[in-house]
Amino acid sequence: MFHVVDTTIFDRPLLDDLCELTTLVRTVAKAPEGARQLQQLASTKRAMLYFTQPSTRTFLSMNNACHVLGIRTSEIRNASVSSEVKGETFEDSIRTFSSYVDLIVMRTPDPGYAARAAELMDSIPRPVPIVNAGSGSDKHPTQALLDIYTLERSFEGSGGIDGKTIGMMGDLKRGRTVRSLSRLMRHYEGVKLVFIAPDTFEMEPDIKAFLNERGIPFTETGRLHEILPTLDAIYVTRIQSEHDVDNESSRVDLAPFTIGTHELGLLKKTAAIMHPLPRGPEIAVEVDEDSRAMYWRQERNGMWMRAALIAKIFDVDQQIRELASHSS
Ligand code: NCD
């Protein structure tokens, strides 16, 4: 594994392997001795976190995932404090970062930048891997991985993701998390997707075409209450108003696309409620108390999954397996 720009590099064996590795990292890290041993695995490596778009979870979980493996990190979180303000091109900036570190994790407001960075790396003498931590409203591959891990764990006793009906709700048009997660669903058998959104924010045609080409059944609805009892998981998303061009979010009635105590009563006892966070009003705080609410676990899983992914990139995953076999 080298660059992680989009979800195309993942297949089912790799997804299963990453999920297993994530559990091993978590387990080993629980004991102080294990946590210390993990920190030896990549302690000669350095990573750059280049986040020119707001981020709390992805930034912190990537940063701490690096620390779990002993990787030292440096960061730029605002293009206005980099030489880009002096007119340096994006390509020259990325090439500069690569001079100092062994890995670049990046989030940008525009789609396509992570791909451009990866292409640049492939053309220089000392390339470093690029990990896309969210590109515009288009892609968020590492979020999709932690979502897969959380879903697999939620359905541990019932055959995993295969055969499940998964609802995705909210701003499906501009939500990069649901776009990347939908793409990964092709690796699971018998999955059905239900897209629940107001007309303005329905899933984009490119994802629907992708699902059609791969024979993944999906339906679209605006009626949450009718569909809720059929769902094994509901993945709720926030309205991405930062992408508004004409204040369109303010004209949409979002009340029918929220989860509160009434909706909990309609949902299966075994269902998983997911959200990439941050949340708006689409999940009431009372839902946090419900045992089906998975989003806080999902958040923590993000750190372990990203540590597993970075371990793969630096080829130290076998050592993690060895540490786990000694500790068990
Ligand atoms: C998501 C993102 O940035 O796309 N957040 C995250 O990475 N956990 C979802 C969002 O901002 O709505």
Side-chain angles (χ1 to χ4, degrees), residues 107-157:
R107 165 172 286 198
T108 53
D110 309 290
Y113 271 66
R116 260 171 71 183
E119 211 172 293
L120 168 72
M121 286 299 121
D122 292 340
S123 72
I124 65 172
R126 188 188 168 278
V128 306
I130 300 289
V131 173
N132 181 0
S135 47
S137 56
D138 187 25
K139 298 189 172 95
H140 200 345
T142 66
Q143 175 75 38
L145 291 177
L146 72 96
D147 294 340
I148 288 286
Y149 179 70
T150 308
L151 285 166
E152 284 281 45
R153 278 181 66 81
S154 304
F155 302 136
E156 218 158 32

Short mmCIF file of all heavy atoms in Angstrom, two decimals, residues 107-157:
data_model
loop_
_atom_site.label_atom_id
_atom_site.label_comp_id
_atom_site.label_asym_id
_atom_site.label_seq_id
_atom_site.Cartn_x
_atom_site.Cartn_y
_atom_site.Cartn_z
N ARG A 107 -6.09 17.27 3.89
CA ARG A 107 -7.51 17.58 3.69
C ARG A 107 -7.59 18.93 2.98
O ARG A 107 -6.96 19.89 3.40
CB ARG A 107 -8.23 17.66 5.03
CG ARG A 107 -9.58 18.31 4.92
CD ARG A 107 -10.39 18.23 6.18
NE ARG A 107 -10.90 16.89 6.40
CZ ARG A 107 -11.91 16.60 7.23
NH1 ARG A 107 -12.47 17.56 7.93
NH2 ARG A 107 -12.33 15.38 7.38
N THR A 108 -8.38 18.97 1.92
CA THR A 108 -8.50 20.21 1.14
C THR A 108 -9.96 20.51 0.83
O THR A 108 -10.77 19.60 0.74
CB THR A 108 -7.76 20.08 -0.22
OG1 THR A 108 -8.23 18.90 -0.87
CG2 THR A 108 -6.27 20.00 -0.04
N PRO A 109 -10.27 21.81 0.66
CA PRO A 109 -11.66 22.15 0.34
C PRO A 109 -12.06 21.76 -1.08
O PRO A 109 -13.24 21.71 -1.40
CB PRO A 109 -11.71 23.67 0.51
CG PRO A 109 -10.32 24.13 0.69
CD PRO A 109 -9.41 22.97 0.85
N ASP A 110 -11.08 21.48 -1.92
CA ASP A 110 -11.40 21.17 -3.32
C ASP A 110 -11.17 19.71 -3.63
O ASP A 110 -10.21 19.12 -3.16
CB ASP A 110 -10.50 21.99 -4.26
CG ASP A 110 -10.52 23.44 -3.89
OD1 ASP A 110 -11.55 24.08 -4.11
OD2 ASP A 110 -9.50 23.92 -3.34
N PRO A 111 -12.04 19.14 -4.46
CA PRO A 111 -11.82 17.75 -4.84
C PRO A 111 -10.60 17.67 -5.77
O PRO A 111 -10.24 18.65 -6.40
CB PRO A 111 -13.10 17.38 -5.61
CG PRO A 111 -13.72 18.66 -6.04
CD PRO A 111 -13.24 19.73 -5.10
N GLY A 112 -9.96 16.53 -5.80
CA GLY A 112 -8.90 16.35 -6.80
C GLY A 112 -7.51 16.70 -6.32
O GLY A 112 -6.53 16.33 -6.96
N TYR A 113 -7.39 17.40 -5.19
CA TYR A 113 -6.05 17.82 -4.76
C TYR A 113 -5.20 16.66 -4.25
O TYR A 113 -4.00 16.61 -4.49
CB TYR A 113 -6.14 18.93 -3.71
CG TYR A 113 -6.18 20.30 -4.33
CD1 TYR A 113 -7.26 20.69 -5.11
CD2 TYR A 113 -5.13 21.18 -4.19
CE1 TYR A 113 -7.31 21.94 -5.71
CE2 TYR A 113 -5.15 22.43 -4.78
CZ TYR A 113 -6.26 22.80 -5.54
OH TYR A 113 -6.28 24.04 -6.14
N ALA A 114 -5.82 15.72 -3.56
CA ALA A 114 -5.05 14.57 -3.08
C ALA A 114 -4.53 13.76 -4.27
O ALA A 114 -3.39 13.30 -4.27
CB ALA A 114 -5.91 13.70 -2.16
N ALA A 115 -5.36 13.63 -5.29
CA ALA A 115 -4.94 12.90 -6.50
C ALA A 115 -3.77 13.64 -7.18
O ALA A 115 -2.81 13.01 -7.62
CB ALA A 115 -6.11 12.75 -7.46
N ARG A 116 -3.86 14.96 -7.21
CA ARG A 116 -2.77 15.75 -7.80
C ARG A 116 -1.48 15.56 -7.02
O ARG A 116 -0.39 15.43 -7.59
CB ARG A 116 -3.15 17.23 -7.79
CG ARG A 116 -3.67 17.70 -9.14
CD ARG A 116 -4.22 19.08 -9.04
NE ARG A 116 -3.21 20.14 -8.87
CZ ARG A 116 -3.53 21.42 -8.72
NH1 ARG A 116 -4.79 21.79 -8.72
NH2 ARG A 116 -2.58 22.33 -8.57
N ALA A 117 -1.61 15.56 -5.69
CA ALA A 117 -0.41 15.38 -4.84
C ALA A 117 0.20 14.00 -5.08
O ALA A 117 1.43 13.86 -5.17
CB ALA A 117 -0.79 15.56 -3.38
N ALA A 118 -0.65 12.98 -5.20
CA ALA A 118 -0.15 11.62 -5.41
C ALA A 118 0.55 11.52 -6.77
O ALA A 118 1.61 10.90 -6.89
CB ALA A 118 -1.31 10.62 -5.33
N GLU A 119 -0.04 12.17 -7.75
CA GLU A 119 0.56 12.15 -9.10
C GLU A 119 1.94 12.81 -9.08
O GLU A 119 2.90 12.31 -9.66
CB GLU A 119 -0.37 12.94 -10.02
CG GLU A 119 -0.37 12.45 -11.45
CD GLU A 119 -1.47 13.19 -12.21
OE1 GLU A 119 -2.67 12.97 -11.89
OE2 GLU A 119 -1.11 14.01 -13.05
N LEU A 120 2.01 13.93 -8.35
CA LEU A 120 3.29 14.64 -8.23
C LEU A 120 4.33 13.72 -7.57
O LEU A 120 5.46 13.61 -8.04
CB LEU A 120 3.10 15.91 -7.40
CG LEU A 120 4.40 16.59 -6.96
CD1 LEU A 120 5.07 17.27 -8.15
CD2 LEU A 120 4.12 17.61 -5.85
N MET A 121 3.92 13.05 -6.49
CA MET A 121 4.85 12.17 -5.78
C MET A 121 5.39 11.09 -6.70
O MET A 121 6.56 10.73 -6.63
CB MET A 121 4.15 11.51 -4.58
CG MET A 121 3.91 12.45 -3.42
SD MET A 121 5.47 13.08 -2.77
CE MET A 121 5.23 14.83 -3.00
N ASP A 122 4.51 10.58 -7.56
CA ASP A 122 4.93 9.50 -8.46
C ASP A 122 5.94 9.98 -9.51
O ASP A 122 6.50 9.16 -10.23
CB ASP A 122 3.70 8.87 -9.13
CG ASP A 122 2.84 8.12 -8.12
OD1 ASP A 122 3.38 7.77 -7.04
OD2 ASP A 122 1.64 7.89 -8.38
N SER A 123 6.15 11.30 -9.57
CA SER A 123 7.08 11.80 -10.59
C SER A 123 8.38 12.33 -10.00
O SER A 123 9.21 12.87 -10.72
CB SER A 123 6.38 12.90 -11.40
OG SER A 123 6.26 14.07 -10.59
N ILE A 124 8.56 12.24 -8.68
CA ILE A 124 9.79 12.81 -8.09
C ILE A 124 10.67 11.70 -7.51
O ILE A 124 10.18 10.59 -7.26
CB ILE A 124 9.47 13.89 -7.01
CG1 ILE A 124 8.75 13.27 -5.79
CG2 ILE A 124 8.66 15.04 -7.60
CD1 ILE A 124 8.58 14.25 -4.63
N PRO A 125 11.96 11.99 -7.30
CA PRO A 125 12.87 10.93 -6.87
C PRO A 125 12.58 10.36 -5.48
O PRO A 125 12.86 9.21 -5.22
CB PRO A 125 14.25 11.61 -6.86
CG PRO A 125 14.09 12.89 -7.59
CD PRO A 125 12.65 13.27 -7.58
N ARG A 126 12.05 11.20 -4.55
CA ARG A 126 11.80 10.69 -3.20
C ARG A 126 10.32 10.86 -2.85
O ARG A 126 9.94 11.74 -2.09
CB ARG A 126 12.68 11.43 -2.18
CG ARG A 126 12.63 10.83 -0.79
CD ARG A 126 13.35 11.69 0.26
NE ARG A 126 13.03 11.22 1.60
CZ ARG A 126 11.92 11.56 2.26
NH1 ARG A 126 11.03 12.36 1.71
NH2 ARG A 126 11.71 11.08 3.48
N PRO A 127 9.50 9.99 -3.45
CA PRO A 127 8.07 10.13 -3.19
C PRO A 127 7.69 9.67 -1.79
O PRO A 127 8.34 8.77 -1.24
CB PRO A 127 7.42 9.21 -4.23
CG PRO A 127 8.47 8.18 -4.52
CD PRO A 127 9.80 8.84 -4.32
N VAL A 128 6.69 10.30 -1.20
CA VAL A 128 6.14 9.81 0.07
C VAL A 128 4.65 9.54 -0.14
O VAL A 128 4.03 10.15 -1.01
CB VAL A 128 6.36 10.80 1.24
CG1 VAL A 128 7.83 11.18 1.38
CG2 VAL A 128 5.50 12.03 1.13
N PRO A 129 4.08 8.62 0.63
CA PRO A 129 2.66 8.32 0.44
C PRO A 129 1.76 9.50 0.80
O PRO A 129 2.06 10.26 1.73
CB PRO A 129 2.40 7.13 1.38
CG PRO A 129 3.66 6.86 2.11
CD PRO A 129 4.73 7.77 1.64
N ILE A 130 0.68 9.63 0.06
CA ILE A 130 -0.33 10.65 0.31
C ILE A 130 -1.59 9.95 0.82
O ILE A 130 -2.07 8.99 0.21
CB ILE A 130 -0.71 11.38 -1.01
CG1 ILE A 130 0.49 12.06 -1.65
CG2 ILE A 130 -1.87 12.37 -0.78
CD1 ILE A 130 1.02 13.28 -0.93
N VAL A 131 -2.12 10.43 1.94
CA VAL A 131 -3.40 9.91 2.44
C VAL A 131 -4.43 11.03 2.36
O VAL A 131 -4.20 12.12 2.90
CB VAL A 131 -3.28 9.38 3.88
CG1 VAL A 131 -4.65 9.01 4.44
CG2 VAL A 131 -2.36 8.16 3.93
N ASN A 132 -5.52 10.76 1.69
CA ASN A 132 -6.60 11.74 1.54
C ASN A 132 -7.48 11.71 2.79
O ASN A 132 -8.14 10.73 3.08
CB ASN A 132 -7.43 11.37 0.30
CG ASN A 132 -8.57 12.32 0.06
OD1 ASN A 132 -8.76 13.29 0.81
ND2 ASN A 132 -9.33 12.07 -0.99
N ALA A 133 -7.48 12.82 3.52
CA ALA A 133 -8.29 12.90 4.75
C ALA A 133 -9.55 13.72 4.50
O ALA A 133 -10.10 14.33 5.42
CB ALA A 133 -7.45 13.52 5.86
N GLY A 134 -10.00 13.73 3.25
CA GLY A 134 -11.22 14.46 2.89
C GLY A 134 -10.92 15.46 1.80
O GLY A 134 -10.14 16.38 2.02
N SER A 135 -11.49 15.25 0.60
CA SER A 135 -11.25 16.17 -0.52
C SER A 135 -12.58 16.75 -0.97
O SER A 135 -13.41 16.06 -1.57
CB SER A 135 -10.53 15.45 -1.66
OG SER A 135 -11.14 14.20 -1.95
N GLY A 136 -12.78 18.01 -0.67
CA GLY A 136 -14.00 18.71 -1.06
C GLY A 136 -15.25 17.96 -0.63
O GLY A 136 -15.29 17.37 0.45
N SER A 137 -16.27 17.98 -1.48
CA SER A 137 -17.48 17.24 -1.15
C SER A 137 -17.46 15.87 -1.83
O SER A 137 -18.48 15.21 -1.96
CB SER A 137 -18.71 18.03 -1.59
OG SER A 137 -18.61 18.33 -2.96
N ASP A 138 -16.27 15.46 -2.27
CA ASP A 138 -16.17 14.29 -3.13
C ASP A 138 -15.81 13.00 -2.39
O ASP A 138 -16.58 12.03 -2.42
CB ASP A 138 -15.12 14.61 -4.21
CG ASP A 138 -15.04 13.55 -5.27
OD1 ASP A 138 -16.05 12.85 -5.46
OD2 ASP A 138 -13.97 13.42 -5.90
N LYS A 139 -14.67 12.97 -1.71
CA LYS A 139 -14.16 11.70 -1.19
C LYS A 139 -13.66 11.81 0.25
O LYS A 139 -13.09 12.83 0.64
CB LYS A 139 -12.98 11.23 -2.05
CG LYS A 139 -13.34 10.95 -3.49
CD LYS A 139 -12.18 10.29 -4.21
CE LYS A 139 -12.58 9.82 -5.59
NZ LYS A 139 -12.27 10.81 -6.63
N HIS A 140 -13.82 10.71 0.99
CA HIS A 140 -13.29 10.65 2.35
C HIS A 140 -13.00 9.16 2.65
O HIS A 140 -13.69 8.53 3.45
CB HIS A 140 -14.32 11.22 3.32
CG HIS A 140 -13.77 11.65 4.65
ND1 HIS A 140 -12.52 11.28 5.10
CD2 HIS A 140 -14.31 12.42 5.64
CE1 HIS A 140 -12.33 11.81 6.30
NE2 HIS A 140 -13.39 12.50 6.64
N PRO A 141 -11.97 8.62 1.97
CA PRO A 141 -11.76 7.18 2.04
C PRO A 141 -11.46 6.62 3.44
O PRO A 141 -11.93 5.53 3.77
CB PRO A 141 -10.58 6.92 1.10
CG PRO A 141 -9.94 8.25 0.88
CD PRO A 141 -11.01 9.28 1.06
N THR A 142 -10.73 7.37 4.27
CA THR A 142 -10.40 6.79 5.59
C THR A 142 -11.61 6.81 6.53
O THR A 142 -11.73 5.97 7.40
CB THR A 142 -9.18 7.48 6.26
OG1 THR A 142 -9.52 8.83 6.59
CG2 THR A 142 -7.96 7.46 5.35
N GLN A 143 -12.51 7.78 6.32
CA GLN A 143 -13.76 7.76 7.08
C GLN A 143 -14.57 6.52 6.69
O GLN A 143 -15.13 5.83 7.56
CB GLN A 143 -14.57 9.03 6.80
CG GLN A 143 -15.95 9.06 7.46
CD GLN A 143 -15.89 9.35 8.95
OE1 GLN A 143 -15.09 10.15 9.41
NE2 GLN A 143 -16.74 8.67 9.72
N ALA A 144 -14.59 6.21 5.39
CA ALA A 144 -15.34 5.03 4.94
C ALA A 144 -14.77 3.76 5.59
O ALA A 144 -15.52 2.85 5.94
CB ALA A 144 -15.29 4.93 3.41
N LEU A 145 -13.46 3.73 5.78
CA LEU A 145 -12.85 2.55 6.42
C LEU A 145 -13.31 2.41 7.87
O LEU A 145 -13.66 1.31 8.32
CB LEU A 145 -11.32 2.64 6.40
CG LEU A 145 -10.63 2.53 5.05
CD1 LEU A 145 -9.13 2.72 5.24
CD2 LEU A 145 -10.92 1.17 4.40
N LEU A 146 -13.32 3.52 8.60
CA LEU A 146 -13.71 3.39 10.00
C LEU A 146 -15.22 3.12 10.11
O LEU A 146 -15.67 2.46 11.04
CB LEU A 146 -13.29 4.62 10.82
CG LEU A 146 -14.03 5.94 10.61
CD1 LEU A 146 -15.12 6.11 11.65
CD2 LEU A 146 -13.04 7.09 10.74
N ASP A 147 -15.97 3.58 9.11
CA ASP A 147 -17.40 3.26 9.08
C ASP A 147 -17.61 1.77 8.83
O ASP A 147 -18.46 1.13 9.47
CB ASP A 147 -18.10 4.08 7.98
CG ASP A 147 -18.08 5.57 8.26
OD1 ASP A 147 -17.89 5.95 9.44
OD2 ASP A 147 -18.24 6.36 7.32
N ILE A 148 -16.83 1.22 7.92
CA ILE A 148 -16.92 -0.23 7.64
C ILE A 148 -16.59 -1.01 8.92
O ILE A 148 -17.28 -1.94 9.30
CB ILE A 148 -15.94 -0.62 6.50
CG1 ILE A 148 -16.45 -0.10 5.15
CG2 ILE A 148 -15.67 -2.13 6.46
CD1 ILE A 148 -17.62 -0.84 4.56
N TYR A 149 -15.52 -0.59 9.58
CA TYR A 149 -15.11 -1.29 10.81
C TYR A 149 -16.22 -1.23 11.86
O TYR A 149 -16.54 -2.23 12.50
CB TYR A 149 -13.81 -0.66 11.35
CG TYR A 149 -13.32 -1.29 12.62
CD1 TYR A 149 -12.79 -2.58 12.62
CD2 TYR A 149 -13.38 -0.61 13.84
CE1 TYR A 149 -12.35 -3.17 13.79
CE2 TYR A 149 -12.94 -1.20 15.01
CZ TYR A 149 -12.42 -2.48 14.98
OH TYR A 149 -11.99 -3.06 16.14
N THR A 150 -16.81 -0.05 12.03
CA THR A 150 -17.86 0.11 13.04
C THR A 150 -19.09 -0.72 12.67
O THR A 150 -19.70 -1.35 13.54
CB THR A 150 -18.22 1.60 13.20
OG1 THR A 150 -17.01 2.34 13.44
CG2 THR A 150 -19.18 1.83 14.36
N LEU A 151 -19.45 -0.73 11.40
CA LEU A 151 -20.60 -1.55 10.97
C LEU A 151 -20.31 -3.03 11.19
O LEU A 151 -21.14 -3.77 11.72
CB LEU A 151 -20.91 -1.29 9.48
CG LEU A 151 -21.61 0.04 9.16
CD1 LEU A 151 -21.56 0.33 7.66
CD2 LEU A 151 -23.06 0.04 9.65
N GLU A 152 -19.12 -3.46 10.79
CA GLU A 152 -18.77 -4.87 10.97
C GLU A 152 -18.84 -5.27 12.44
O GLU A 152 -19.35 -6.33 12.79
CB GLU A 152 -17.36 -5.16 10.43
CG GLU A 152 -17.27 -5.22 8.90
CD GLU A 152 -17.73 -6.55 8.31
OE1 GLU A 152 -18.78 -7.08 8.71
OE2 GLU A 152 -17.03 -7.03 7.40
N ARG A 153 -18.36 -4.41 13.30
CA ARG A 153 -18.41 -4.71 14.74
C ARG A 153 -19.84 -4.68 15.28
O ARG A 153 -20.20 -5.49 16.13
CB ARG A 153 -17.55 -3.70 15.53
CG ARG A 153 -16.09 -4.07 15.52
CD ARG A 153 -15.27 -3.08 16.32
NE ARG A 153 -15.59 -3.11 17.75
CZ ARG A 153 -15.11 -4.00 18.61
NH1 ARG A 153 -14.27 -4.92 18.19
NH2 ARG A 153 -15.44 -3.93 19.88
N SER A 154 -20.63 -3.76 14.77
CA SER A 154 -22.02 -3.68 15.22
C SER A 154 -22.79 -4.94 14.85
O SER A 154 -23.72 -5.32 15.54
CB SER A 154 -22.73 -2.47 14.60
OG SER A 154 -22.04 -1.30 14.88
N PHE A 155 -22.41 -5.55 13.74
CA PHE A 155 -23.12 -6.75 13.27
C PHE A 155 -22.31 -8.02 13.50
O PHE A 155 -22.48 -9.02 12.79
CB PHE A 155 -23.43 -6.62 11.77
CG PHE A 155 -24.25 -5.42 11.41
CD1 PHE A 155 -23.92 -4.64 10.32
CD2 PHE A 155 -25.36 -5.06 12.17
CE1 PHE A 155 -24.67 -3.53 9.98
CE2 PHE A 155 -26.12 -3.94 11.84
CZ PHE A 155 -25.76 -3.18 10.75
N GLU A 156 -21.44 -7.98 14.49
CA GLU A 156 -20.52 -9.10 14.76
C GLU A 156 -21.28 -10.41 14.96
O GLU A 156 -20.87 -11.46 14.47
CB GLU A 156 -19.71 -8.78 16.01
CG GLU A 156 -18.28 -9.24 15.93
CD GLU A 156 -17.42 -8.46 16.91
OE1 GLU A 156 -17.93 -8.05 17.99
OE2 GLU A 156 -16.25 -8.24 16.59
N GLY A 157 -22.40 -10.32 15.69
CA GLY A 157 -23.13 -11.55 16.00
C GLY A 157 -24.14 -11.94 14.93
O GLY A 157 -24.87 -12.92 15.09
#
